[in-house]
Amino acid sequence: MKISARNVLKGKIVEVTKGATTAHVRIDVGGTIVTASITNEAIDDLGLVKGMAASAVIKASDVMVAVD
């Protein structure tokens, strides 16, 4: 796979929850959970299920940095 996004976080799906039209996919990335909101159709097309390997791909025009 080639993709233009610079932030690709590899992990494992720990939960898939479908709603009326939108689903939430929770991916464990090294102990941190990343949640994606995607369509139910995308869930079906990709065959996403709990336990499978998946990547969270983050594409944003702005990335902020915070410190305490």
Side-chain angles (χ1 to χ4, degrees), residues 29-53:
V29 179
T32 298
I33 302 296
V34 176
T35 303
S37 294
I38 63 176
T39 64
N40 287 335
E41 183 178 3
I43 296 287
D44 296 337
D45 288 347
L46 295 171
L48 301 181
V49 293
K50 181 179 177 178
M52 75 183 294

Side-chain angles (χ1 to χ4, degrees), residues 8-36:
V8 179
L9 309 173
K10 294 182 180 183
K12 181 188 273 190
I13 296 175
V14 294
E15 184 177 21
V16 177
T17 307
K18 284 186 172 183
T21 58
T22 304
H24 291 114
V25 181
R26 293 169 44 98
I27 301 173
D28 183 333
V29 179
T32 298
I33 302 296
V34 176
T35 303

